[in-house]
Amino acid sequence: MSEDIDVELEQEVAVFYQSFGINQGPGDIQYRLILKVLENKDPGITEFSDIRKYTDQFADRGSIGSKMKTVFQLEGLVKKVKRGGYVITNKGLMAASFLKNTTTFYKKTKKMGEIIERMP
Amino acid sequence: MIVELFLNIIICFAITVSSFTFAFVLARNDEKYSKKSKPALWALIALWTLVGATYLPTTIRMIAAYIGKPAIDTIMYNMSAIPFAFISVPLVFFITYVMVGNEKISKYISFIFAIFGATYLGFFYSSGAIGPIVTEWTSIFIVNSDIAIQIYLMGLFVFPTAMILGLLLLMFITRSIAISIHRTVLPLVAISFVFDFILTDFITSVDTIQVVSRVFVLVGTAQAFLAYFPQTVFNERISTKGKTESPEIDEENDEFEYEDDIKT
């Protein structure tokens, strides 16, 4: 399963959730991008460099590494299979599915918001 | 003096005045609306002006029936058919613009409905109408062309009504967004009300149905007016769904104070 990751859209969605006070998970651009990359590479191994390709514009290497360890590995969303190589777990795929729902909700809300904006 | 017919005159007059007033007030407050909502606003103004323009000759026609002037009644009936035929044009523009957001596309689609309206008028005037049949409630004309009625029903009525219902459905599906009921749903319900009952008013051959339809048109107009200019009680009851309590500010210390005391 491989699809292009729309970084701009992911950032828009993250900002949208941040406006609700949700700064972690769906409201965290790093979390979103990491999970997207992991999902795209499934069932293969995701290299750390694959993730950095998308996250470098938002965060440094250290904070991504830290997030991988303290969030993704700790919560069992990924399994480290080699040095700098990760595989997404079933729990991780569930999280990715949830993330998709958050994007759908954002799109739906945005569309409706635009309709309401056009109503006098 | 026929009281029922007099009541009908008052209802028609009330619709005329309230529709024109509503259109005027909307136009006067146009700077309050955002740039994006302006095209829809002007479509709405045109719609309510056409409703008023339909009921102004109808009011005169009812007066003519009341004082026994069938010639004026007929002239006014033919006059009221013109705005009536084009009511769906601004309505279609309003709905398509709100849904699609493209002014050009909305213009093209509403132009198709203008053609439908003109075709309806063509058949209507070429076939004429049977009447007036003055009863104690009203003065009735029967459109002498089945094709004109079919065009109105299929082209000018079904599609705009379906569009309104579609937009309403979309709003109910996406209920996750806290939308202000009186500003979004209520105008659509009001427009639908007015639009449906104007048609019933024009095609019915039963006098009481016509009067009841006019009452509903009046109710729809009042509903639309309340939607845009809600009264205080109305506003308090349905407009604000989730009220948030803002913290009190202690001006002396310039700090926020929260009420922590919960009375048990």
Side-chain angles (χ1 to χ4, degrees):
Chain A
M1 188 167 82
S2 180
E3 56 182 71
D4 280 343
I5 298 168
D6 188 343
V7 180
E8 268 179 35
L9 174 73
E10 293 304 326
Q11 199 180 5
E12 261 179 54
V13 182
V15 171
F16 172 72
Y17 284 101
Q18 279 166 22
S19 72
F20 293 160
I22 305 167
N23 296 307
Q24 302 298 317
D28 177 8
I29 181 68
Q30 293 177 28
Y31 176 87
R32 295 190 75 88
L33 289 173
I34 293 168
L35 206 52
K36 280 270 168 194
V37 177
L38 287 163
E39 190 197 12
N40 271 2
K41 288 279 175 183
D42 180 59
I45 297 167
T46 308
E47 301 286 343
F48 192 62
S49 57
D50 295 331
I51 297 170
R52 283 194 57 201
K53 232 179 356 187
Y54 293 98
T55 56
D56 268 3
Q57 52 178 311
F58 301 104
D60 57 32
R61 186 171 179 258
S63 64
I64 297 299
S66 158
K67 186 139 283 178
M68 287 304 289
K69 213 177 261 178
T70 57
V71 179
F72 286 87
Q73 272 180 267
L74 191 71
E75 299 299 340
L77 305 179
V78 292
K79 212 168 76 183
K80 193 170 181 177
V81 286
K82 61 172 188 177
R83 190 181 152 79
Y86 306 90
V87 170
I88 192 166
T89 61
N90 281 342
K91 200 178 171 189
L93 285 170
M94 271 165 67
S97 167
F98 166 70
L99 214 59
K100 262 186 190 158
N101 287 341
T102 63
T103 310
T104 312
F105 177 79
Y106 164 73
K107 283 180 180 169
K108 213 164 75 173
T109 311
K110 194 184 168 198
K111 198 178 169 189
M112 201 62 214
E114 282 168 357
I115 286 177
I116 289 167
E117 205 184 343
R118 285 194 292 268
M119 267 193 87
Chain B
M1 182 176 162
I2 309 166
V3 180
E4 291 89 343
L5 198 53
F6 188 70
L7 181 73
N8 199 339
I9 295 169
I10 293 169
I11 294 168
C12 290
F13 183 68
I15 296 169
T16 309
V17 171
S18 52
S19 305
F20 279 136
T21 310
F22 184 35
F24 174 73
V25 175
L26 278 176
R28 205 183 53 183
N29 292 310
D30 83 316
E31 74 278 357
K32 283 183 188 169
Y33 296 93
S34 67
K35 201 182 166 191
K36 273 189 179 176
S37 67
K38 282 266 169 72
L41 175 77
W42 283 101
L44 213 58
I45 292 166
L47 173 75
W48 290 107
T49 308
L50 284 174
V51 172
T54 305
Y55 278 93
L56 179 64
T58 308
T59 310
I60 301 168
R61 170 167 115 67
M62 288 301 118
I63 296 168
Y66 188 76
I67 57 174
K69 303 271 183 205
I72 299 172
D73 197 345
T74 311
I75 294 167
M76 288 300 142
Y77 180 73
N78 287 327
M79 271 180 72
S80 66
I82 301 168
F84 170 70
F86 295 106
I87 279 178
S88 58
V89 178
L91 177 61
V92 167
F93 181 89
F94 175 82
I95 302 286
T96 41
Y97 178 75
V98 165
M99 287 189 90
V100 181
N102 189 318
E103 219 178 317
K104 230 177 197 174
I105 293 171
S106 312
K107 273 181 190 166
Y108 289 140
I109 295 173
S110 51
F111 181 69
I112 295 168
F113 283 81
I115 295 168
F116 267 119
T119 316
Y120 164 80
L121 277 182
F123 281 108
F124 174 79
Y125 284 129
S126 61
S127 307
I130 304 161
I133 306 154
V134 181
T135 69
E136 59 183 13
W137 277 102
T138 188
S139 157
I140 284 180
F141 279 89
I142 296 160
V143 182
N144 202 19
S145 167
D146 282 344
I147 303 169
I149 292 175
Q150 293 302 326
I151 287 173
Y152 202 95
L153 278 174
M154 297 310 292
L156 300 171
F157 175 73
V158 174
F159 288 110
T161 308
M163 281 173 164
I164 296 174
L165 292 177
L167 190 54
L168 276 172
L169 191 71
L170 193 74
M171 283 179 173
F172 281 115
I173 289 169
T174 45
R175 271 201 309 187
S176 50
I177 310 150
I179 51 169
S180 173
I181 295 168
H182 80 263
R183 288 301 296 272
T184 49
V185 178
L186 210 57
L188 292 175
V189 174
I191 292 168
S192 170
F193 234 70
V194 171
F195 192 63
D196 295 353
F197 285 105
I198 285 183
L199 176 82
T200 315
D201 176 355
F202 265 71
I203 63 168
T204 186
S205 55
V206 182
D207 55 357
T208 44
I209 291 180
Q210 193 178 67
V211 177
V212 170
S213 303
R214 284 174 189 175
V215 171
F216 279 113
V217 172
L218 184 61
V219 169
T221 315
Q223 211 178 357
F225 195 88
L226 283 174
Y228 281 92
F229 307 101
Q231 302 307 299
T232 322
V233 179
F234 189 75
N235 205 3
E236 278 171 6
R237 289 210 174 173
I238 66 162
S239 68
T240 45
K241 209 176 174 185
K243 288 177 185 167
T244 49
E245 199 175 299
S246 49
E248 288 171 17
I249 299 167
D250 181 359
E251 284 180 0
E252 275 180 31
N253 300 318
D254 200 24
E255 282 176 352
F256 287 115
E257 270 187 7
Y258 292 91
E259 286 177 27
D260 291 322
D261 301 331
I262 302 165
K263 285 172 189 169
T264 49

